[in-house]
């Protein structure tokens, strides 16, 4: 199977510390892009709210106060909704994953693009049913409340093999 050029950047490194302890490290190809999009979105949201009062003070050639308030409300609502959607879609994107023995540590990004680590035993994870799963995910926790993750399957075969093996064993 040929790996696309864009995914070459996210090739997976496999390391061994000892013959009995295997470590598998996954690095997402879009890690920097997702972080930058989140930071830009939150920054533009803050800027929209900071500039909004200035729109009230500027003389807009006879534009009424009600019209300016509607424009401000529309800009703030659009920026808030777009930032919320970007966060919702990107919060499950795994930027790094480490498979060590029987545990997996996933690194995701919070609203402002900071790293957040989640550690699970392989038994706690499963591949979701595609008909009922949340969009932008391909791994989820078995327990409730569910946590969702997206990992590039074409370059993280070892992670999916470990989860699939445990699903098959159960």
């Amino acid at each position: 199977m040929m790996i696309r050029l864009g995914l070459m950047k996210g090739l997976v490194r496999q390391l061994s510390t000892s013959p009995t302890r295997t470590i598998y490290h996954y690095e997402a190809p879009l890690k920097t892009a997702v972080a930058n999009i989140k930071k830009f979105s939150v920054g533009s949201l803050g800027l929209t709210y900071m500039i909004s009062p200035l729109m009230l003070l500027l003389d807009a050639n006879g534009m009424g106060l009600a019209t300016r308030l509607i424009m401000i409300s529309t800009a703030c609502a659009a920026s808030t909704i777009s930032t919320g959607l970007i966060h919702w879609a990107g919060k499950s994107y795994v930027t790094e994953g480490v498979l060590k023995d029987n545990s997996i540590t996933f690194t995701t990004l919070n609203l402002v693009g900071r790293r957040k680590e989640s550690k699970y035993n392989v038994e706690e994870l499963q591949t979701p049913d595609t008909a009922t799963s949340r969009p932008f995910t391909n791994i989820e926790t078995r327990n409730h409340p569910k946590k969702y993750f997206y990992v590039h399957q074409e370059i993280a075969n070892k992670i999916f093999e470990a989860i699939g093996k445990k699903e098959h064993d159960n």
Side-chain angles (χ1 to χ4, degrees):
M1 175 165 67
M2 192 170 185
I3 298 176
R4 286 181 249 133
L5 184 59
L7 297 176
M8 293 295 282
K9 206 172 170 187
L11 285 178
V12 182
R13 293 175 292 186
Q14 190 167 353
L15 308 168
S16 291
T17 55
S18 71
T20 59
R21 195 163 204 196
T22 304
I23 298 175
Y24 182 77
H25 185 260
Y26 160 83
E27 192 171 318
L30 301 175
K31 155 178 151 170
T32 305
V34 170
N36 288 340
I37 287 170
K38 283 184 165 236
K39 290 173 188 174
F40 178 80
S41 181
V42 169
S44 68
L45 174 67
L47 193 59
T48 300
Y49 278 91
M50 287 186 338
I51 290 178
S52 294
L54 293 176
M55 291 178 70
L56 289 175
L57 300 175
L58 296 175
D59 184 24
N61 293 333
M63 191 181 295
L65 178 64
T67 305
R68 283 186 268 169
L69 285 173
I70 290 171
M71 289 174 55
I72 290 168
S73 299
T74 303
C76 289
S79 188
T80 302
I81 290 169
S82 67
T83 299
L85 285 173
I86 287 169
H87 174 63
W88 177 80
K91 73 180 177 181
S92 62
Y93 189 75
V94 175
T95 58
E96 292 180 40
V98 177
L99 172 62
K100 185 189 285 188
D101 294 333
N102 198 33
S103 70
I104 298 177
T105 303
F106 289 133
T107 303
T108 55
L109 301 172
N110 68 6
L111 177 65
V112 294
R114 291 196 177 129
R115 295 168 45 99
K116 178 183 169 191
E117 287 189 356
S118 304
K119 188 172 184 173
Y120 299 96
N121 286 327
V122 175
E123 298 87 23
E124 297 176 280
L125 300 170
Q126 65 185 5
T127 54
D129 177 19
T130 55
T132 60
S133 72
R134 178 185 176 275
F136 309 113
T137 62
N138 56 9
I139 296 174
E140 66 185 17
T141 58
R142 292 180 185 271
N143 56 356
H144 292 281
K146 286 202 178 278
K147 301 287 184 186
Y148 301 96
F149 302 99
Y150 177 81
V151 177
H152 289 268
Q153 194 164 0
E154 61 273 13
I155 60 174
N157 293 336
K158 299 272 187 207
I159 291 173
F160 285 95
E161 287 172 9
I163 293 170
K165 184 176 186 287
K166 291 298 177 181
E167 284 179 344
H168 186 268
D169 292 346
N170 291 338

